[in-house]
């Protein structure tokens, strides 16, 4: 019997993974993930050559060469539920033989960089900053479905956060680290860094109150005010926790660099979204 039966791992008639609808030879091992499917083309327009293009639902994938580097750009849509699909299927493309349905002995470690947008949690971080995640704190639930292997330092920081921040009572936060190797490539003097909060939504789960009252009105301030051994929360968004948690458990290198659109403390929103996203794309393509 194969390791993975058709009910667990769906393979398309052309031999690809189900939701992404791509085949193993269509994927590069260096991958930029973006939320917005229309942004895939904005990135691949920089490629010197495009070798593959497809789209199924919100998952678009363009693979090509940029200055001699083979890169795939994949859109994930919004949220950690979509990240669960994307990371499992990217891993299956390289580490499971889709013909025999058996796990491969020799594993491939992908480099996966999220290029996204976020809200800012600190007064000192101006809108339009590029923010590199050192860690992600999940206040979603995807990471809780998988066994996790977390080092002692991260466990201590997770405990301090659990005790120090104010969350609705049913939310159990989980902390994971970004790849230091990828962060070293993406870092530079103008880049801001910190812990990224990953929420399960844009409004209430990020402390935005429109017409519905929230059960915990001090959540956002408790993130902004938190500090432990030099660690602080820089930003919040909707994908990093599942990306870092599942990605690192599967042996991949994962990180995220995001454009800060809204400063939630100062109540400011960017006027430079389009030009700054282009700047971030060019920055990431040159660094990775
Ligand atoms: N993306 C988010 O998830 N939150 C923001 O505030 C801005 C972008």
């Amino acid at each position: 019997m194969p390791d993975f039966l058709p009910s667990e791992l769906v393979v398309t008639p052309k031999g690809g993974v189900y939701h992404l609808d791509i085949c193993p030879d269509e994927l590069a091992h260096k991958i930029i993930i973006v939320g917005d499917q229309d942004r895939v083309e904005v990135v691949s327009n920089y490629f010197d050559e495009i070798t593959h293009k497809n789209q199924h639902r919100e998952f678009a994938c363009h693979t090509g060469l940029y200055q001699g580097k083979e890169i795939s750009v994949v859109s994930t849509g919004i949220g950690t539920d979509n990240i669960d699909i994307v990371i499992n299927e990217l891993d299956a493309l390289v580490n499971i033989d889709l013909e025999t349905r058996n796990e491969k002995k020799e594993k491939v470690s992908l480099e996966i960089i999220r290029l996204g947008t976020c809200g800012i949690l600190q007064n000192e971080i101006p809108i339009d900053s590029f923010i590199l995640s050192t860690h992600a704190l999940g206040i979603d639930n995807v990471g809780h479905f998988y066994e996790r292997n977390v080092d002692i330092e991260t466990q201590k920081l997770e405990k301090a956060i659990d005790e120090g921040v104010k969350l609705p009572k049913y939310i159990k936060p989980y902390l994971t680290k970004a790849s230091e190797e990828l962060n070293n490539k993406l870092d530079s003097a103008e880049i801001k860094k910190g812990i990224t909060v990953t929420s399960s939504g844009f409004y209430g789960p990020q402390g935005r109150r429109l017409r519905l009252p929230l059960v915990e009105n001090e959540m956002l301030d408790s993130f902004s005010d938190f500090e432990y051994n030099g660690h602080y929360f820089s930003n919040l968004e909707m994908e990093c926790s599942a990306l870092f948690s599942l990605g690192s458990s599967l042996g991949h290198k994962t990180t995220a660099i995001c454009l800060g659109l809204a400063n939630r403390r100062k109540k400011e929103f960017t006027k430079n979204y389009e030009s700054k996203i282009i700047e971030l794309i060019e920055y990431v393509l040159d660094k990775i």
Side-chain angles (χ1 to χ4, degrees):
M1 192 155 62
D3 292 339
F4 307 103
L5 294 170
S7 58
E8 314 304 300
L9 173 66
V10 183
V11 177
T12 64
K14 67 171 188 178
V17 285
Y18 182 49
H19 299 86
L20 301 186
D21 193 26
I22 46 183
C23 296
D25 60 349
E26 294 166 343
L27 183 75
H29 292 178
K30 208 184 270 298
I31 302 164
I32 295 173
I33 59 172
V34 295
D36 180 356
Q37 54 204 270
D38 293 337
R39 200 165 294 147
V40 171
E41 186 158 32
V42 181
V43 179
S44 72
N45 276 340
Y46 286 90
F47 290 178
D48 305 308
E49 186 191 339
I50 295 180
T51 52
H52 170 77
K53 268 187 180 188
N54 81 295
Q55 177 162 4
H56 180 229
R57 295 171 174 256
E58 62 264 66
F59 309 110
C61 172
H62 293 185
T63 298
L65 285 173
Y66 175 78
Q67 297 184 354
K69 297 178 277 199
E70 200 190 9
I71 300 176
S72 289
V73 198
V74 177
S75 59
T76 65
I78 294 175
T80 53
D81 49 348
N82 277 2
I83 294 291
D84 178 64
I85 290 172
V86 171
I87 297 306
N88 274 295
E89 293 192 4
L90 290 178
D91 179 71
L93 281 165
V94 292
N95 289 324
I96 296 175
D97 182 327
L98 298 182
E99 279 176 32
T100 64
R101 298 178 163 279
N102 289 323
E103 184 169 340
K104 291 183 184 171
K105 287 208 169 54
E106 296 291 316
K107 298 292 188 299
V108 169
S109 175
L110 298 168
E111 288 185 6
I112 309 173
I113 298 115
R114 162 165 152 72
L115 189 165
T117 58
C118 65
I120 296 169
L121 287 165
Q122 299 295 332
N123 278 328
E124 296 71 32
I125 303 182
I127 46 172
D128 297 334
S129 297
F130 298 163
I131 305 169
L132 187 59
S133 306
T134 58
H135 301 74
L137 183 81
I139 56 170
D140 64 310
N141 63 7
V142 169
H144 289 307
F145 287 86
Y146 297 93
E147 287 185 10
R148 293 191 305 136
N149 209 347
V150 180
D151 65 51
I152 297 287
E153 280 310 304
T154 309
Q155 282 177 37
K156 281 188 195 158
L157 180 55
E158 183 181 80
K159 187 165 180 288
I161 292 170
D162 203 4
E163 289 165 0
V165 300
K166 293 187 176 159
L167 293 167
K169 70 176 175 191
Y170 298 113
I171 305 295
K172 178 77 184 152
Y174 63 100
L175 187 73
T176 45
K177 266 172 86 167
S179 154
E180 283 176 26
E181 189 184 321
L182 283 184
N183 279 2
N184 288 338
K185 284 192 198 179
L186 284 161
D187 202 1
S188 70
E190 76 257 37
I191 299 295
K192 309 290 181 193
K193 291 185 286 273
I195 308 170
T196 300
V197 178
T198 299
S199 304
S200 52
F202 185 81
Y203 291 98
Q206 290 188 22
R208 286 187 172 93
R209 183 188 160 161
L210 298 188
R211 291 200 327 108
L212 280 178
L214 304 179
V215 297
E216 179 50 78
N217 289 299
E218 291 173 35
M219 179 179 80
L220 223 53
D221 283 339
S222 77
F223 284 135
S224 301
D225 295 339
F226 178 85
E227 198 273 332
Y228 175 82
N229 279 353
H231 293 288
Y232 71 96
F233 289 102
S234 48
N235 59 331
L236 80 173
E237 49 76 85
M238 289 183 268
E239 287 83 18
C240 285
S241 58
L243 170 65
F244 299 176
S245 181
L246 276 60
S248 61
S249 297
L250 286 163
H252 306 298
K253 299 182 189 100
T254 55
T255 194
I257 186 161
C258 290
L259 168 65
L261 297 183
N263 189 309
R264 301 297 308 287
R265 280 227 120 168
K266 291 167 93 175
K267 314 276 185 242
E268 291 173 353
F269 194 78
T270 182
K271 295 186 177 67
N272 308 310
Y273 178 59
E274 298 300 334
S275 64
K276 281 287 169 182
I277 271 288
I278 295 294
E279 227 181 272
L280 181 59
I281 290 169
E282 291 174 357
Y283 181 85
V284 169
L285 282 172
D286 282 335
K287 291 280 185 185
I288 62 173

